[in-house]
């Protein structure tokens, strides 16, 4: 269909054809980043002064063709909503339509490319469809004064989760959730490819669902005297939060994307299983999906699926994969470890000496450490199993299954986890410490990677001539329940 033919079937907004972010790499609508999406939204807002955010998200839904039965049930059909009529005189040109349409319409190709997703500044990937549906539900509830927002859980998370659980109910060992994937380029992202065959609830869909749930709930809870910000301002505050003047996550009380797992849990738990079951019943009613027979099998599938969801997305911390921080390939043949491992060895990086506060900073530090370990020390890869940043994320080093080079003489029996920074005289942020102590460790035990009766040691306990992990951090971990003194023979570092 020609672009002009689309003008009468989608909402129309004024954007100059040549204003869609051309730069040194070409037209910006080819780049799938949240920053570009926010810029495009901001241009629409600037071209339509006074445009209500609810009208804009409804119009974006209309553009992407997201009028399925459940969305219409809760939000109404976008082509029958009166406030969109105020936009009839504006024109959305071909380039802008291409940007919005391709950025929002979610699908996975036969080659494993996930579309309708964007790279966000914290290094994670988000599907826009559930994010925007959650925002629309929240804005509608705020306008009507009907908090909590009707349908926000089914629209953002429960439908995708429930259908994914049921699609694999005959294969109990299959993956009901995920996977994550890799962008072709982290600076100029265009193509996102999944790490393995997808479920119906990929990581990007779940991230977008959690974000839509959080932002929509926040908006619906605004008081009558409070007006929601423009859509671009809402997204900027959540995704492009400023970690300036040495701020760490401990100092930020607002809802921001690195905290999506904890915040969504506080909203949805303990009703997750109930919400999914009720959503599936609604799907059966609205979409006449006769294959959903509400017997014990469905309930068991949902129960098992929710348990996987809770473990993977709420108990476990978010882990930035190697491809996301720009890791070089392993230079030798990886040596697998035999799981579960009985030890966890705590390190600090010493150099870099300062905590990293953002994804670009932490990624740069990871690449620097990998170069040092590979080029200066002659190791096959970065030595650590995992590294904790002060941006709210854990970074994958050698990972769960490959032997590291972190604690000489003990690498085959334990994971080496380092926190970026020098902690000889100061502690890591409270958020980073809790991320390691409570979430990472519990995730490792529950996932069968770390033995239930594991032991924690500081690096200095196992080798001579090192003060790692620093006096302050060592004093901290020595108070942890699993920490043990050791009288084992110390090997040379």
């Amino acid at each position: 269909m020609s672009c002009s033919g689309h003008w009468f079937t989608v909402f129309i907004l004024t954007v100059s054809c040549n204003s869609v972010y051309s730069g040194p790499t070409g037209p910006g609508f080819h780049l799938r980043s949240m920053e570009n999406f926010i810029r495009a939204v901001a241009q629409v807002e600037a071209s339509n002064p006074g445009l209500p955010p609810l009208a804009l998200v409804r119009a974006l839904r209309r553009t992407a063709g997201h009028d399925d039965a459940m969305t219409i049930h809760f939000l109404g059909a976008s082509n029958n909503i009166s406030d969109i009529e105020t936009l009839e005189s504006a024109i959305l040109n071909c380039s802008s339509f291409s940007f919005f349409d391709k950025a929002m319409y979610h699908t996975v190709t036969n080659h494993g490319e996930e579309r309708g997703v964007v790279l966000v500044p914290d290094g994670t990937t988000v599907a826009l469809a559930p994010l925007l549906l959650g925002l629309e539900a929240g804005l509608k509830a705020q306008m009507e004064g009907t908090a909590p927002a009707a349908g926000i859980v089914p629209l953002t998370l429960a439908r995708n989760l429930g259908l994914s659980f049921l699609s694999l109910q005959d294969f109990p060992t299959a993956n009901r959730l995920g996977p994550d994937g890799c962008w072709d380029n982290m600076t100029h992202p265009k193509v996102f490819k999944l790490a393995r065959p997808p479920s119906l609830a990929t990581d990007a869909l779940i991230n977008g669902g959690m974000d839509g749930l959080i932002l929509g709930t926040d908006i619906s809870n605004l008081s009558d005297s409070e007006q929601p910000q423009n859509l671009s301002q809402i997204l900027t505050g959540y995704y492009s939060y400023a970690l300036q003047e040495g701020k760490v996550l401990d100092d930020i009380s607002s809802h921001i994307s690195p905290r999506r797992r904890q915040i969504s849990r506080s909203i949805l738990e303990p009703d997750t299983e109930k919400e999914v079951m009720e959503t599936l019943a609604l799907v059966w009613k609205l979409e006449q999906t006769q294959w959903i027979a509400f017997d014990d099998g469905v309930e068991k599938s949902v129960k098992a699926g929710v348990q996987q969801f809770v473990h993977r997305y709420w108990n476990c911390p978010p882990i930035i994969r190697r491809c996301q921080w720009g890791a070089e390939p392993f230079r030798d043949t990886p040596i697998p470890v035999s799981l579960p491992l009985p030890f966890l060895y705590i390190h600090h990086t010493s150099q870099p000496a300062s905590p990293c506060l953002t994804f670009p900073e932490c990624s740069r530090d990871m690449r620097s450490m990998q170069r040092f370990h590979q080029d200066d020390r002659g190791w096959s890869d970065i030595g650590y199993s995992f590294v904790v940043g002060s941006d709210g994320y854990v970074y994958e080093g050698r990972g769960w299954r490959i032997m590291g080079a972190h604690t000489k003489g003990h690498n085959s029996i334990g994971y080496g986890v380092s926190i970026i920074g020098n902690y000889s005289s100061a502690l890591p942020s409270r958020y980073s410490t809790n991320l390691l102590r409570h979430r990472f460790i519990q995730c490792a035990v529950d996932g069968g990677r770390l033995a239930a009766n594991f032991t924690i040691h500081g690096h200095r306990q196992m080798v001579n001539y090192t003060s790692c992990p620093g006096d302050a951090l060592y004093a901290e971990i020595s108070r942890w329940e699993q920490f043990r003194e050791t009288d084992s023979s110390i090997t040379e570092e």
Side-chain angles (χ1 to χ4, degrees):
M1 180 182 291
S2 68
C3 187
S4 59
H6 247 100
W7 289 351
F8 299 101
T9 60
V10 300
F11 89 101
I12 310 302
L13 293 174
T14 302
V15 181
S16 167
C17 188
N18 295 320
S19 64
V20 189
Y21 326 121
S22 293
T25 59
F29 57 77
H30 290 302
L31 304 182
R32 302 295 173 222
S33 68
M34 180 60 75
E35 291 101 321
N36 267 6
F37 182 75
I38 292 173
R39 289 190 197 105
V41 168
Q43 276 205 347
V44 172
E45 293 167 339
S47 300
N48 296 268
L51 176 66
L54 179 57
L56 179 51
V57 293
R58 283 172 169 170
L60 291 173
R61 167 159 63 99
R62 189 170 175 182
T63 302
H66 289 157
D67 273 14
D68 56 65
M70 180 169 288
T71 303
I72 293 172
H73 175 77
F74 286 114
L75 302 178
S78 60
N79 61 353
N80 291 327
I81 297 173
S82 60
D83 57 10
I84 291 182
E85 295 175 2
T86 63
L87 306 173
E88 285 180 343
S89 61
I91 296 175
L92 180 67
N93 72 1
C94 298
S95 297
S96 298
F97 174 75
S98 173
F99 175 78
F100 283 121
D101 181 50
K102 291 180 180 178
M104 294 184 302
Y105 184 75
H106 185 270
T107 187
V108 177
T109 71
N110 292 335
H111 302 291
E113 177 187 343
E114 187 172 14
R115 299 176 179 174
V117 301
V118 295
L119 175 65
V120 303
D122 65 12
T124 58
T125 300
V126 165
L128 288 171
L131 164 66
L132 293 171
L133 289 175
L135 283 164
E136 184 176 347
L139 288 163
K140 180 175 183 287
Q142 196 276 337
M143 182 191 72
E144 297 172 349
T146 56
I152 192 168
V153 177
L155 291 169
T156 57
L157 281 172
R159 184 178 188 275
N160 287 332
L161 291 177
L163 294 180
S164 188
F165 299 158
L166 292 192
S167 69
L168 295 172
Q169 62 181 324
D170 294 329
F171 306 95
T173 61
N175 291 298
R176 292 181 172 89
L177 300 167
D180 200 355
C182 297
W183 286 95
D184 57 335
N185 186 300
M186 294 297 287
T187 306
H188 301 99
K190 295 181 182 179
V191 178
F192 185 71
K193 294 202 72 172
L194 294 172
R196 56 173 170 77
S199 70
L200 296 180
T202 64
D203 280 11
L205 275 171
I206 291 175
N207 285 340
M210 288 190 284
D211 292 348
L213 175 66
I214 293 164
L215 291 173
T217 300
D218 287 349
I219 292 167
S220 71
N221 288 330
L222 293 175
S223 66
D224 293 339
S225 61
E226 295 177 291
Q227 290 297 316
Q229 298 174 301
N230 288 338
L231 179 59
S232 61
Q233 293 173 317
I234 293 169
L235 296 174
T236 297
Y238 185 76
Y239 291 110
S240 300
Y241 50 89
L243 288 176
Q244 299 173 348
E245 300 176 356
K247 281 187 175 181
V248 295
L249 287 174
D250 296 355
D251 303 324
I252 300 175
S253 58
S254 58
H255 287 176
I256 55 177
S257 57
R259 288 199 175 107
R260 63 168 63 92
R261 297 187 177 205
Q262 302 99 300
I263 302 168
S264 62
R265 184 174 203 162
S266 70
I267 295 171
L268 194 51
E269 202 174 44
D271 297 325
T272 314
E273 189 175 331
K274 174 175 174 287
E275 290 277 7
V276 172
M277 287 295 295
E278 290 178 352
T279 298
L280 287 174
L282 184 60
V283 170
W284 185 89
K285 176 182 177 182
L286 295 174
E287 302 179 14
Q288 298 183 347
T289 47
Q290 302 296 332
W291 56 272
I292 302 180
F294 282 86
D295 53 20
D296 290 343
V298 169
E299 188 171 353
K300 288 178 181 177
S301 292
V302 169
K303 185 178 185 64
V306 168
Q307 288 174 348
Q308 284 188 10
F309 171 77
V310 169
H311 166 72
R312 180 180 174 115
Y313 298 99
W314 284 349
N315 291 343
C316 288
I319 295 177
I320 300 293
R321 303 179 70 224
R322 291 171 60 90
C323 61
Q324 292 169 270
W325 59 261
E328 292 293 325
F330 201 91
R331 290 184 178 176
D332 204 342
T333 302
I335 301 174
V337 291
S338 180
L339 303 180
L341 300 184
F343 292 96
L344 181 67
Y345 303 113
I346 306 298
H347 300 247
H348 70 165
T349 62
S350 184
Q351 291 293 332
S354 299
C356 60
L357 302 181
T358 65
F359 168 71
E361 291 176 0
C362 295
S363 297
R364 186 167 55 248
D365 287 346
M366 292 295 292
R367 293 191 296 270
S368 175
M369 286 186 287
Q370 187 187 41
R371 283 193 301 270
F372 176 69
H373 289 175
Q374 288 184 320
D375 297 341
D376 291 26
R377 293 195 168 179
W379 298 348
S380 300
D381 197 2
I382 188 172
Y384 305 120
S385 306
F386 294 92
V387 179
V388 179
S390 293
D391 62 338
Y393 292 93
V394 175
Y395 287 73
E396 180 186 27
R398 298 205 188 185
W400 296 115
R401 299 185 178 277
I402 304 301
M403 187 174 76
H406 45 79
T407 311
K408 188 173 181 181
H410 303 81
N411 292 310
S412 64
I413 58 174
Y415 293 114
V417 179
S418 189
I419 303 180
I420 293 178
N422 187 319
Y423 300 107
S424 297
S425 58
L427 284 171
S429 69
R430 182 176 65 256
Y431 193 96
S432 300
T433 304
N434 288 339
L435 196 68
L436 170 58
R437 181 180 182 181
H438 299 298
R439 300 184 65 201
F440 177 85
I441 287 176
Q442 191 61 53
C443 176
V445 172
D446 291 346
R449 282 90 174 232
L450 198 59
N453 60 343
F454 73 97
T455 296
I456 289 177
H457 288 311
H459 185 200
R460 64 172 63 180
Q461 293 175 270
M462 316 314 295
V463 297
N464 284 321
Y465 313 120
T466 183
S467 61
C468 180
D471 290 347
L473 182 54
Y474 183 73
E476 167 66 24
I477 67 170
S478 67
R479 293 190 289 268
W480 295 3
E481 180 182 356
Q482 301 89 353
F483 177 85
R484 297 290 183 271
E485 297 288 352
T486 179
D487 55 4
S488 62
S489 61
I490 293 179
T491 63
E492 294 294 325
E493 187 182 26

